Amino acid sequence: MPRRPTPEFTQSFAESLPRSYRDKYDADVVVAHATVANTRGDAPVDVGLFGRAGNGLCVVAEDRPGLLALISASLAGCHLDVSHAEVYTRDRGGGQKEAVDLFCVRNLDAPPGTAITRADADRVRVTLERLIRGEENPKGVVDREAGKSELPAGKSADATVRFVADPSGGLATLEVETTDRSGLLFALASALYEQNVQIVESEVRTVEGRVFDRFRIVELDGSAISAAHRLEIQVAVLSAIEPARRTVPPPS
């Protein structure tokens, strides 16, 4: 059962997340997210509901390489389609990092506008726990439940993959714009995981069949992505979007 946090826990939770998070969410939504974190405790993961629209899913888990790919596979495996996502990482103290990942989803097995339920959240949690324990292959889950992730024959992904300058002048944010398809977020997150980078923050939007994703990434040791590695990442991401494509635009 969800465990409502104390005001002190909620304040500490909010302060441990980026200012962009605190500026975006009202107090009642922060409490909902903090409740999931409080309920998780030291368990590998917990999943809860949030928001008045009836489509908010909050996943709180021990941070680890490849976590977003595992979460994406869990959502696809539970027939939940992602229209918006935000990925955050917070410091719990003592060197412990916790992922707070927020998703707006819809149940593909229910009529449009149907609110997701506690049962949906529990299915995602159970599926994600199995993937974290290595009891199932995430790609197998995506391919089995969401259908093949390739584009239909004859269709181009019409993709743009580029790095853009962050406020400090570095090149740490990867932007991806392409045609939406089943399993796309899993494919992108998997490609980044295979490139041995950390996703520090991310925002995913789907608008009228087009995906607009931003990933703030660093090397595993926290350092900036090198120019050579940026090109490798672009190639890997484009290959994940459309396996036949092997060229990328020059870095801006």
Side-chain angles (χ1 to χ4, degrees):
M1 291 291 294
R3 296 186 300 173
R4 190 174 178 86
T6 64
E8 292 77 16
F9 182 95
T10 300
Q11 181 178 352
S12 174
F13 172 85
E15 290 176 350
S16 68
L17 287 160
R19 175 172 289 278
S20 57
Y21 169 89
R22 299 194 299 274
D23 290 344
K24 182 173 293 186
Y25 291 105
D26 295 334
D28 59 336
V29 178
V30 174
V31 169
H33 298 162
T35 297
V36 182
N38 191 47
T39 303
R40 177 179 94 83
D42 292 323
V45 61
D46 195 50
V47 181
L49 307 175
F50 74 93
R52 300 182 183 90
N55 65 348
L57 204 62
C58 175
V59 180
V60 179
E62 178 184 351
D63 197 23
R64 67 185 64 214
L67 179 63
L68 182 58
L70 298 182
I71 295 174
S72 304
S74 301
L75 295 171
C78 293
H79 279 199
L80 297 175
D81 183 52
V82 178
S83 61
H84 185 85
E86 296 170 19
V87 171
Y88 300 99
T89 304
R90 78 183 194 98
D91 190 345
R92 295 181 68 191
Q96 292 181 308
K97 298 291 186 180
E98 183 173 69
V100 180
D101 294 357
L102 312 174
F103 301 88
C104 294
V105 302
R106 69 182 182 94
N107 189 336
L108 295 175
D109 297 327
T114 302
I116 58 172
T117 67
R118 181 70 247 175
D120 293 318
D122 288 342
R123 284 190 299 124
V124 173
R125 176 182 54 78
V126 170
T127 304
L128 182 54
E129 286 176 344
R130 290 202 305 266
L131 293 178
I132 288 173
R133 291 194 297 264
E135 296 174 2
E136 287 195 75
N137 179 282
K139 188 176 188 304
V141 170
V142 173
D143 289 345
R144 181 180 69 244
E145 300 295 340
K148 289 189 178 295
S149 59
E150 290 81 6
L151 288 165
K155 278 201 173 184
S156 169
D158 186 23
T160 299
V161 179
R162 62 176 183 171
F163 279 89
V164 298
D166 62 19
S168 65
L171 285 167
T173 299
L174 180 71
E175 287 190 342
V176 179
E177 179 184 348
T178 190
T179 305
D180 192 22
R181 63 173 171 84
S182 176
L184 179 62
L185 182 57
F186 168 74
L188 297 179
S190 296
L192 293 175
Y193 170 61
E194 290 168 2
Q195 284 295 312
N196 295 312
V197 297
Q198 298 183 60
I199 301 174
V200 179
E201 290 182 39
S202 177
E203 183 174 10
V204 172
R205 293 186 298 119
T206 302
V207 181
E208 297 181 348
R210 295 290 292 174
V211 170
F212 304 88
D213 295 353
R214 290 172 62 90
F215 300 94
R216 185 166 181 270
I217 57 177
V218 295
E219 301 285 2
L220 289 180
D221 63 3
S223 62
I225 307 295
S226 69
H229 199 185
R230 290 199 300 270
L231 185 58
E232 292 174 356
I233 291 167
Q234 287 178 282
V235 170
V237 169
L238 276 168
S239 297
I241 294 170
E242 186 178 2
R245 180 175 294 193
R246 290 292 184 270
T247 60
V248 299
S252 55

